[in-house]
Amino acid sequence: MKKLTVNAMSATYDILIEKGLLKNSAEYIKNNVKAEKLMIISDSNVAPLYLDTLKSGLLQYGFSVYSHIFTAGEKSKNLTTVSKIYDALSENEFTRKDCVIALGGGVCGDITGFVAATYMRGIDFIQIPTTLLSQVDSSVGGKTGVDTSYGKNLVGAFYQPKIVLIDPDTLDTLSEHYFADGMGEVIKYGCIKSRELFDFLKENDAKESIEEVILICLRIKRDVVSEDEREAGLRMILNFGHTLGHSIEKLSEFSLSHGECVAKGMVMISKATEKLGITKSGTTDEIIKLCEKYSLNTDICYDIDAIAESAKNDKKGSGKMLNLVVTPKIGETLIHKIDKNELAQILG
Ligand code: MG
């Protein structure tokens, strides 16, 4: 078993990675929470595959186990879904000493974490991510939240899980499309922090060494989050490709996956900063090639002005300025501040 410990300011917790971990997860849950009652939150795609396995393990350990299933997809990531889960918890008399478990991808983890942060002003929660995107990224670091009609993740909280349990076997049921989605974030880690990872992905098939790839990505994320839990500085580098990626995601009305949009966002920003002389020439081509290798389309299918306009509302901006995460070369980052109104111009 591979283990990483996150030492965030607000909490310390472990990430465990092992094939087959899902069926043995009760033991680790027992050791990390005081709850007697557990509510598993999952979606309509994941629940039929893994809910019974998780549930039966937990029942053997004497927990009272409840579940709540929502319709799979980003469109469910809103306050209506959250409200239904609050009701399910209240109906079953969950108290502050009980616990919720996120069994699913990024959407499930974000919703469940937000519920945990706010129900009775905070109850324990556990992350059991089942997609590549959530295993390498969203299940770790404590960002929770939902979308509003104005944008992604506009309502949320920083709230850390008690433990993160990663079973790479759950990736076997993932479609090619969702594997590629996760690879968008994997490639991002290479771009921002590790030339070595970037080259490894170039020269090998990530799928064949997925446990190792997950570990490398999470080690980077762990180090960043341990230093800057609340995104006061360093954590911003994890947003490489995200400012524009979020805009594209929104313009597509969430029909494009997050990882795909991050890939497009990385290429767009890298192309712009290469032109400005901030990024080493040839970098954008390298990113495009690697994205294409992992079935990520990097074509920019929306009007640049529309993308820039939407990016102005990004919550990472402050006042008139926008903080752009830039890679001067693969494996390194810097923050480039620009006036929001200049964005369209530099992208054009
Ligand atoms: Mg992301």
Side-chain angles (χ1 to χ4, degrees), residues 133 137-138 152-153 184-185 188-189 221 238-240 242 246 249 258-259 262:
L133 184 120
D137 186 28
S138 59
K152 270 189 62 110
N153 304 322
E185 294 284 0
K188 177 200 78 179
Y189 284 112
K221 178 134 194 194
L238 297 173
N239 296 326
F240 179 55
H242 279 62
H246 281 161
E249 215 173 338
H258 178 69
V262 168

mmCIF file with all atom_site columns, all heavy atoms in Angstrom, residues 133 137-138 152-153 184-185 188-189 221 238-240 242 246 249 258-259 262, ligand 1:
data_model
loop_
_atom_site.group_PDB
_atom_site.id
_atom_site.type_symbol
_atom_site.label_atom_id
_atom_site.label_alt_id
_atom_site.label_comp_id
_atom_site.label_asym_id
_atom_site.label_entity_id
_atom_site.label_seq_id
_atom_site.pdbx_PDB_ins_code
_atom_site.Cartn_x
_atom_site.Cartn_y
_atom_site.Cartn_z
_atom_site.occupancy
_atom_site.B_iso_or_equiv
_atom_site.pdbx_formal_charge
_atom_site.auth_seq_id
_atom_site.auth_comp_id
_atom_site.auth_asym_id
_atom_site.auth_atom_id
_atom_site.pdbx_PDB_model_num
ATOM   1   N  N   . LEU A 1 133 ? -9.615  11.660 -12.602 1.00 0.00 ? 133 LEU A N   1
ATOM   2   C  CA  . LEU A 1 133 ? -9.571  13.085 -12.243 1.00 0.00 ? 133 LEU A CA  1
ATOM   3   C  C   . LEU A 1 133 ? -9.675  13.288 -10.731 1.00 0.00 ? 133 LEU A C   1
ATOM   4   O  O   . LEU A 1 133 ? -8.924  14.052 -10.134 1.00 0.00 ? 133 LEU A O   1
ATOM   5   C  CB  . LEU A 1 133 ? -10.684 13.855 -12.958 1.00 0.00 ? 133 LEU A CB  1
ATOM   6   C  CG  . LEU A 1 133 ? -10.605 15.354 -12.690 1.00 0.00 ? 133 LEU A CG  1
ATOM   7   C  CD1 . LEU A 1 133 ? -10.414 16.116 -13.997 1.00 0.00 ? 133 LEU A CD1 1
ATOM   8   C  CD2 . LEU A 1 133 ? -11.809 15.871 -11.970 1.00 0.00 ? 133 LEU A CD2 1
ATOM   9   N  N   . ASP A 1 137 ? -6.548  14.468 -8.237  1.00 0.00 ? 137 ASP A N   1
ATOM   10  C  CA  . ASP A 1 137 ? -6.705  15.895 -7.993  1.00 0.00 ? 137 ASP A CA  1
ATOM   11  C  C   . ASP A 1 137 ? -7.770  16.256 -6.968  1.00 0.00 ? 137 ASP A C   1
ATOM   12  O  O   . ASP A 1 137 ? -7.469  16.596 -5.827  1.00 0.00 ? 137 ASP A O   1
ATOM   13  C  CB  . ASP A 1 137 ? -6.987  16.607 -9.326  1.00 0.00 ? 137 ASP A CB  1
ATOM   14  C  CG  . ASP A 1 137 ? -7.019  18.109 -9.189  1.00 0.00 ? 137 ASP A CG  1
ATOM   15  O  OD1 . ASP A 1 137 ? -6.349  18.630 -8.282  1.00 0.00 ? 137 ASP A OD1 1
ATOM   16  O  OD2 . ASP A 1 137 ? -7.703  18.766 -9.991  1.00 0.00 ? 137 ASP A OD2 1
ATOM   17  N  N   . SER A 1 138 ? -9.038  16.148 -7.358  1.00 0.00 ? 138 SER A N   1
ATOM   18  C  CA  . SER A 1 138 ? -10.060 16.841 -6.574  1.00 0.00 ? 138 SER A CA  1
ATOM   19  C  C   . SER A 1 138 ? -10.352 16.227 -5.205  1.00 0.00 ? 138 SER A C   1
ATOM   20  O  O   . SER A 1 138 ? -10.892 16.901 -4.334  1.00 0.00 ? 138 SER A O   1
ATOM   21  C  CB  . SER A 1 138 ? -11.366 16.944 -7.379  1.00 0.00 ? 138 SER A CB  1
ATOM   22  O  OG  . SER A 1 138 ? -11.839 15.672 -7.718  1.00 0.00 ? 138 SER A OG  1
ATOM   23  N  N   . LYS A 1 152 ? -18.661 28.070 -12.232 1.00 0.00 ? 152 LYS A N   1
ATOM   24  C  CA  . LYS A 1 152 ? -18.272 26.863 -11.517 1.00 0.00 ? 152 LYS A CA  1
ATOM   25  C  C   . LYS A 1 152 ? -17.768 27.182 -10.113 1.00 0.00 ? 152 LYS A C   1
ATOM   26  O  O   . LYS A 1 152 ? -17.046 28.159 -9.920  1.00 0.00 ? 152 LYS A O   1
ATOM   27  C  CB  . LYS A 1 152 ? -17.149 26.174 -12.297 1.00 0.00 ? 152 LYS A CB  1
ATOM   28  C  CG  . LYS A 1 152 ? -17.678 25.188 -13.309 1.00 0.00 ? 152 LYS A CG  1
ATOM   29  C  CD  . LYS A 1 152 ? -16.554 24.370 -13.920 1.00 0.00 ? 152 LYS A CD  1
ATOM   30  C  CE  . LYS A 1 152 ? -15.830 23.540 -12.874 1.00 0.00 ? 152 LYS A CE  1
ATOM   31  N  NZ  . LYS A 1 152 ? -16.073 22.108 -12.986 1.00 0.00 ? 152 LYS A NZ  1
ATOM   32  N  N   . ASN A 1 153 ? -18.110 26.326 -9.170  1.00 0.00 ? 153 ASN A N   1
ATOM   33  C  CA  . ASN A 1 153 ? -17.550 26.383 -7.814  1.00 0.00 ? 153 ASN A CA  1
ATOM   34  C  C   . ASN A 1 153 ? -17.663 27.757 -7.156  1.00 0.00 ? 153 ASN A C   1
ATOM   35  O  O   . ASN A 1 153 ? -16.792 28.159 -6.404  1.00 0.00 ? 153 ASN A O   1
ATOM   36  C  CB  . ASN A 1 153 ? -16.060 25.995 -7.847  1.00 0.00 ? 153 ASN A CB  1
ATOM   37  C  CG  . ASN A 1 153 ? -15.832 24.645 -8.466  1.00 0.00 ? 153 ASN A CG  1
ATOM   38  O  OD1 . ASN A 1 153 ? -16.623 23.721 -8.262  1.00 0.00 ? 153 ASN A OD1 1
ATOM   39  N  ND2 . ASN A 1 153 ? -14.776 24.507 -9.229  1.00 0.00 ? 153 ASN A ND2 1
ATOM   40  N  N   . GLY A 1 184 ? -5.939  15.187 -18.386 1.00 0.00 ? 184 GLY A N   1
ATOM   41  C  CA  . GLY A 1 184 ? -5.782  16.643 -18.487 1.00 0.00 ? 184 GLY A CA  1
ATOM   42  C  C   . GLY A 1 184 ? -5.099  17.188 -17.233 1.00 0.00 ? 184 GLY A C   1
ATOM   43  O  O   . GLY A 1 184 ? -4.155  17.986 -17.310 1.00 0.00 ? 184 GLY A O   1
ATOM   44  N  N   . GLU A 1 185 ? -5.550  16.728 -16.070 1.00 0.00 ? 185 GLU A N   1
ATOM   45  C  CA  . GLU A 1 185 ? -4.939  17.181 -14.810 1.00 0.00 ? 185 GLU A CA  1
ATOM   46  C  C   . GLU A 1 185 ? -3.546  16.560 -14.613 1.00 0.00 ? 185 GLU A C   1
ATOM   47  O  O   . GLU A 1 185 ? -2.639  17.206 -14.089 1.00 0.00 ? 185 GLU A O   1
ATOM   48  C  CB  . GLU A 1 185 ? -5.830  16.843 -13.606 1.00 0.00 ? 185 GLU A CB  1
ATOM   49  C  CG  . GLU A 1 185 ? -7.169  17.576 -13.571 1.00 0.00 ? 185 GLU A CG  1
ATOM   50  C  CD  . GLU A 1 185 ? -7.079  19.051 -13.139 1.00 0.00 ? 185 GLU A CD  1
ATOM   51  O  OE1 . GLU A 1 185 ? -5.980  19.551 -12.854 1.00 0.00 ? 185 GLU A OE1 1
ATOM   52  O  OE2 . GLU A 1 185 ? -8.157  19.697 -13.118 1.00 0.00 ? 185 GLU A OE2 1
ATOM   53  N  N   . LYS A 1 188 ? -1.166  18.492 -16.507 1.00 0.00 ? 188 LYS A N   1
ATOM   54  C  CA  . LYS A 1 188 ? -0.989  19.771 -15.810 1.00 0.00 ? 188 LYS A CA  1
ATOM   55  C  C   . LYS A 1 188 ? 0.098   19.672 -14.731 1.00 0.00 ? 188 LYS A C   1
ATOM   56  O  O   . LYS A 1 188 ? 0.957   20.555 -14.622 1.00 0.00 ? 188 LYS A O   1
ATOM   57  C  CB  . LYS A 1 188 ? -2.303  20.219 -15.181 1.00 0.00 ? 188 LYS A CB  1
ATOM   58  C  CG  . LYS A 1 188 ? -2.191  21.508 -14.372 1.00 0.00 ? 188 LYS A CG  1
ATOM   59  C  CD  . LYS A 1 188 ? -3.325  21.677 -13.375 1.00 0.00 ? 188 LYS A CD  1
ATOM   60  C  CE  . LYS A 1 188 ? -3.101  20.813 -12.142 1.00 0.00 ? 188 LYS A CE  1
ATOM   61  N  NZ  . LYS A 1 188 ? -4.175  20.965 -11.137 1.00 0.00 ? 188 LYS A NZ  1
ATOM   62  N  N   . TYR A 1 189 ? 0.071   18.583 -13.948 1.00 0.00 ? 189 TYR A N   1
ATOM   63  C  CA  . TYR A 1 189 ? 1.093   18.430 -12.900 1.00 0.00 ? 189 TYR A CA  1
ATOM   64  C  C   . TYR A 1 189 ? 2.496   18.407 -13.508 1.00 0.00 ? 189 TYR A C   1
ATOM   65  O  O   . TYR A 1 189 ? 3.430   18.986 -12.958 1.00 0.00 ? 189 TYR A O   1
ATOM   66  C  CB  . TYR A 1 189 ? 0.875   17.133 -12.101 1.00 0.00 ? 189 TYR A CB  1
ATOM   67  C  CG  . TYR A 1 189 ? -0.254  17.205 -11.104 1.00 0.00 ? 189 TYR A CG  1
ATOM   68  C  CD1 . TYR A 1 189 ? -1.410  16.452 -11.282 1.00 0.00 ? 189 TYR A CD1 1
ATOM   69  C  CD2 . TYR A 1 189 ? -0.166  18.017 -9.987  1.00 0.00 ? 189 TYR A CD2 1
ATOM   70  C  CE1 . TYR A 1 189 ? -2.455  16.507 -10.368 1.00 0.00 ? 189 TYR A CE1 1
ATOM   71  C  CE2 . TYR A 1 189 ? -1.200  18.081 -9.066  1.00 0.00 ? 189 TYR A CE2 1
ATOM   72  C  CZ  . TYR A 1 189 ? -2.342  17.320 -9.258  1.00 0.00 ? 189 TYR A CZ  1
ATOM   73  O  OH  . TYR A 1 189 ? -3.355  17.381 -8.359  1.00 0.00 ? 189 TYR A OH  1
ATOM   74  N  N   . LYS A 1 221 ? 0.553   17.547 -5.371  1.00 0.00 ? 221 LYS A N   1
ATOM   75  C  CA  . LYS A 1 221 ? -0.587  18.265 -4.799  1.00 0.00 ? 221 LYS A CA  1
ATOM   76  C  C   . LYS A 1 221 ? -0.451  18.379 -3.280  1.00 0.00 ? 221 LYS A C   1
ATOM   77  O  O   . LYS A 1 221 ? -0.701  19.431 -2.696  1.00 0.00 ? 221 LYS A O   1
ATOM   78  C  CB  . LYS A 1 221 ? -1.892  17.552 -5.158  1.00 0.00 ? 221 LYS A CB  1
ATOM   79  C  CG  . LYS A 1 221 ? -3.093  18.246 -4.541  1.00 0.00 ? 221 LYS A CG  1
ATOM   80  C  CD  . LYS A 1 221 ? -4.225  18.438 -5.469  1.00 0.00 ? 221 LYS A CD  1
ATOM   81  C  CE  . LYS A 1 221 ? -5.235  19.415 -4.891  1.00 0.00 ? 221 LYS A CE  1
ATOM   82  N  NZ  . LYS A 1 221 ? -6.500  19.388 -5.591  1.00 0.00 ? 221 LYS A NZ  1
ATOM   83  N  N   . LEU A 1 238 ? -1.700  25.366 -9.116  1.00 0.00 ? 238 LEU A N   1
ATOM   84  C  CA  . LEU A 1 238 ? -2.538  24.221 -9.511  1.00 0.00 ? 238 LEU A CA  1
ATOM   85  C  C   . LEU A 1 238 ? -3.619  24.637 -10.498 1.00 0.00 ? 238 LEU A C   1
ATOM   86  O  O   . LEU A 1 238 ? -4.270  23.800 -11.108 1.00 0.00 ? 238 LEU A O   1
ATOM   87  C  CB  . LEU A 1 238 ? -3.187  23.577 -8.277  1.00 0.00 ? 238 LEU A CB  1
ATOM   88  C  CG  . LEU A 1 238 ? -2.249  22.975 -7.238  1.00 0.00 ? 238 LEU A CG  1
ATOM   89  C  CD1 . LEU A 1 238 ? -3.042  22.531 -6.014  1.00 0.00 ? 238 LEU A CD1 1
ATOM   90  C  CD2 . LEU A 1 238 ? -1.471  21.792 -7.807  1.00 0.00 ? 238 LEU A CD2 1
ATOM   91  N  N   . ASN A 1 239 ? -3.806  25.934 -10.635 1.00 0.00 ? 239 ASN A N   1
ATOM   92  C  CA  . ASN A 1 239 ? -4.831  26.437 -11.551 1.00 0.00 ? 239 ASN A CA  1
ATOM   93  C  C   . ASN A 1 239 ? -4.313  26.674 -12.962 1.00 0.00 ? 239 ASN A C   1
ATOM   94  O  O   . ASN A 1 239 ? -5.002  27.294 -13.779 1.00 0.00 ? 239 ASN A O   1
ATOM   95  C  CB  . ASN A 1 239 ? -5.426  27.743 -11.016 1.00 0.00 ? 239 ASN A CB  1
ATOM   96  C  CG  . ASN A 1 239 ? -6.148  27.525 -9.707  1.00 0.00 ? 239 ASN A CG  1
ATOM   97  O  OD1 . ASN A 1 239 ? -6.745  26.488 -9.502  1.00 0.00 ? 239 ASN A OD1 1
ATOM   98  N  ND2 . ASN A 1 239 ? -6.058  28.496 -8.819  1.00 0.00 ? 239 ASN A ND2 1
ATOM   99  N  N   . PHE A 1 240 ? -3.133  26.185 -13.273 1.00 0.00 ? 240 PHE A N   1
ATOM   100 C  CA  . PHE A 1 240 ? -2.624  26.337 -14.633 1.00 0.00 ? 240 PHE A CA  1
ATOM   101 C  C   . PHE A 1 240 ? -3.653  25.772 -15.626 1.00 0.00 ? 240 PHE A C   1
ATOM   102 O  O   . PHE A 1 240 ? -4.129  24.655 -15.461 1.00 0.00 ? 240 PHE A O   1
ATOM   103 C  CB  . PHE A 1 240 ? -1.283  25.603 -14.779 1.00 0.00 ? 240 PHE A CB  1
ATOM   104 C  CG  . PHE A 1 240 ? -0.699  25.682 -16.164 1.00 0.00 ? 240 PHE A CG  1
ATOM   105 C  CD1 . PHE A 1 240 ? -0.484  26.913 -16.775 1.00 0.00 ? 240 PHE A CD1 1
ATOM   106 C  CD2 . PHE A 1 240 ? -0.361  24.531 -16.860 1.00 0.00 ? 240 PHE A CD2 1
ATOM   107 C  CE1 . PHE A 1 240 ? 0.063   26.992 -18.060 1.00 0.00 ? 240 PHE A CE1 1
ATOM   108 C  CE2 . PHE A 1 240 ? 0.182   24.590 -18.143 1.00 0.00 ? 240 PHE A CE2 1
ATOM   109 C  CZ  . PHE A 1 240 ? 0.384   25.825 -18.744 1.00 0.00 ? 240 PHE A CZ  1
ATOM   110 N  N   . HIS A 1 242 ? -6.633  26.641 -15.878 1.00 0.00 ? 242 HIS A N   1
ATOM   111 C  CA  . HIS A 1 242 ? -7.991  26.604 -15.331 1.00 0.00 ? 242 HIS A CA  1
ATOM   112 C  C   . HIS A 1 242 ? -8.803  27.873 -15.548 1.00 0.00 ? 242 HIS A C   1
ATOM   113 O  O   . HIS A 1 242 ? -10.017 27.804 -15.678 1.00 0.00 ? 242 HIS A O   1
ATOM   114 C  CB  . HIS A 1 242 ? -7.949  26.279 -13.835 1.00 0.00 ? 242 HIS A CB  1
ATOM   115 C  CG  . HIS A 1 242 ? -7.807  24.805 -13.563 1.00 0.00 ? 242 HIS A CG  1
ATOM   116 N  ND1 . HIS A 1 242 ? -6.715  24.086 -13.974 1.00 0.00 ? 242 HIS A ND1 1
ATOM   117 C  CD2 . HIS A 1 242 ? -8.623  23.914 -12.942 1.00 0.00 ? 242 HIS A CD2 1
ATOM   118 C  CE1 . HIS A 1 242 ? -6.855  22.820 -13.596 1.00 0.00 ? 242 HIS A CE1 1
ATOM   119 N  NE2 . HIS A 1 242 ? -8.005  22.688 -12.972 1.00 0.00 ? 242 HIS A NE2 1
ATOM   120 N  N   . HIS A 1 246 ? -12.051 26.975 -17.288 1.00 0.00 ? 246 HIS A N   1
ATOM   121 C  CA  . HIS A 1 246 ? -13.383 27.150 -16.687 1.00 0.00 ? 246 HIS A CA  1
ATOM   122 C  C   . HIS A 1 246 ? -14.317 27.918 -17.617 1.00 0.00 ? 246 HIS A C   1
ATOM   123 O  O   . HIS A 1 246 ? -15.505 27.615 -17.713 1.00 0.00 ? 246 HIS A O   1
ATOM   124 C  CB  . HIS A 1 246 ? -13.287 27.884 -15.348 1.00 0.00 ? 246 HIS A CB  1
ATOM   125 C  CG  . HIS A 1 246 ? -12.865 26.998 -14.208 1.00 0.00 ? 246 HIS A CG  1
ATOM   126 N  ND1 . HIS A 1 246 ? -12.363 27.498 -13.028 1.00 0.00 ? 246 HIS A ND1 1
ATOM   127 C  CD2 . HIS A 1 246 ? -12.872 25.663 -14.070 1.00 0.00 ? 246 HIS A CD2 1
ATOM   128 C  CE1 . HIS A 1 246 ? -12.070 26.495 -12.218 1.00 0.00 ? 246 HIS A CE1 1
ATOM   129 N  NE2 . HIS A 1 246 ? -12.371 25.369 -12.826 1.00 0.00 ? 246 HIS A NE2 1
ATOM   130 N  N   . GLU A 1 249 ? -15.399 25.619 -20.311 1.00 0.00 ? 249 GLU A N   1
ATOM   131 C  CA  . GLU A 1 249 ? -16.343 24.650 -19.747 1.00 0.00 ? 249 GLU A CA  1
ATOM   132 C  C   . GLU A 1 249 ? -17.747 25.258 -19.656 1.00 0.00 ? 249 GLU A C   1
ATOM   133 O  O   . GLU A 1 249 ? -18.741 24.631 -19.991 1.00 0.00 ? 249 GLU A O   1
ATOM   134 C  CB  . GLU A 1 249 ? -15.848 24.266 -18.345 1.00 0.00 ? 249 GLU A CB  1
ATOM   135 C  CG  . GLU A 1 249 ? -16.103 22.827 -17.969 1.00 0.00 ? 249 GLU A CG  1
ATOM   136 C  CD  . GLU A 1 249 ? -15.429 22.472 -16.647 1.00 0.00 ? 249 GLU A CD  1
ATOM   137 O  OE1 . GLU A 1 249 ? -14.458 23.147 -16.233 1.00 0.00 ? 249 GLU A OE1 1
ATOM   138 O  OE2 . GLU A 1 249 ? -15.891 21.501 -16.024 1.00 0.00 ? 249 GLU A OE2 1
ATOM   139 N  N   . HIS A 1 258 ? -14.065 18.532 -17.748 1.00 0.00 ? 258 HIS A N   1
ATOM   140 C  CA  . HIS A 1 258 ? -13.153 19.468 -17.071 1.00 0.00 ? 258 HIS A CA  1
ATOM   141 C  C   . HIS A 1 258 ? -11.717 19.321 -17.598 1.00 0.00 ? 258 HIS A C   1
ATOM   142 O  O   . HIS A 1 258 ? -11.072 20.303 -17.967 1.00 0.00 ? 258 HIS A O   1
ATOM   143 C  CB  . HIS A 1 258 ? -13.208 19.221 -15.564 1.00 0.00 ? 258 HIS A CB  1
ATOM   144 C  CG  . HIS A 1 258 ? -12.272 20.087 -14.775 1.00 0.00 ? 258 HIS A CG  1
ATOM   145 N  ND1 . HIS A 1 258 ? -12.453 21.443 -14.649 1.00 0.00 ? 258 HIS A ND1 1
ATOM   146 C  CD2 . HIS A 1 258 ? -11.135 19.796 -14.093 1.00 0.00 ? 258 HIS A CD2 1
ATOM   147 C  CE1 . HIS A 1 258 ? -11.473 21.949 -13.917 1.00 0.00 ? 258 HIS A CE1 1
ATOM   148 N  NE2 . HIS A 1 258 ? -10.665 20.973 -13.571 1.00 0.00 ? 258 HIS A NE2 1
ATOM   149 N  N   . GLY A 1 259 ? -11.245 18.080 -17.655 1.00 0.00 ? 259 GLY A N   1
ATOM   150 C  CA  . GLY A 1 259 ? -9.861  17.835 -18.081 1.00 0.00 ? 259 GLY A CA  1
ATOM   151 C  C   . GLY A 1 259 ? -9.608  18.294 -19.511 1.00 0.00 ? 259 GLY A C   1
ATOM   152 O  O   . GLY A 1 259 ? -8.541  18.812 -19.841 1.00 0.00 ? 259 GLY A O   1
ATOM   153 N  N   . VAL A 1 262 ? -9.329  22.014 -19.379 1.00 0.00 ? 262 VAL A N   1
ATOM   154 C  CA  . VAL A 1 262 ? -8.032  22.399 -18.809 1.00 0.00 ? 262 VAL A CA  1
ATOM   155 C  C   . VAL A 1 262 ? -6.950  22.264 -19.881 1.00 0.00 ? 262 VAL A C   1
ATOM   156 O  O   . VAL A 1 262 ? -6.087  23.139 -20.027 1.00 0.00 ? 262 VAL A O   1
ATOM   157 C  CB  . VAL A 1 262 ? -7.694  21.544 -17.562 1.00 0.00 ? 262 VAL A CB  1
ATOM   158 C  CG1 . VAL A 1 262 ? -6.241  21.735 -17.133 1.00 0.00 ? 262 VAL A CG1 1
ATOM   159 C  CG2 . VAL A 1 262 ? -8.630  21.902 -16.413 1.00 0.00 ? 262 VAL A CG2 1
HETATM 160 MG MG  . MG  B 2 .   ? -9.128  21.019 -11.934 1.00 0.00 ? 1   MG  B MG  1
#
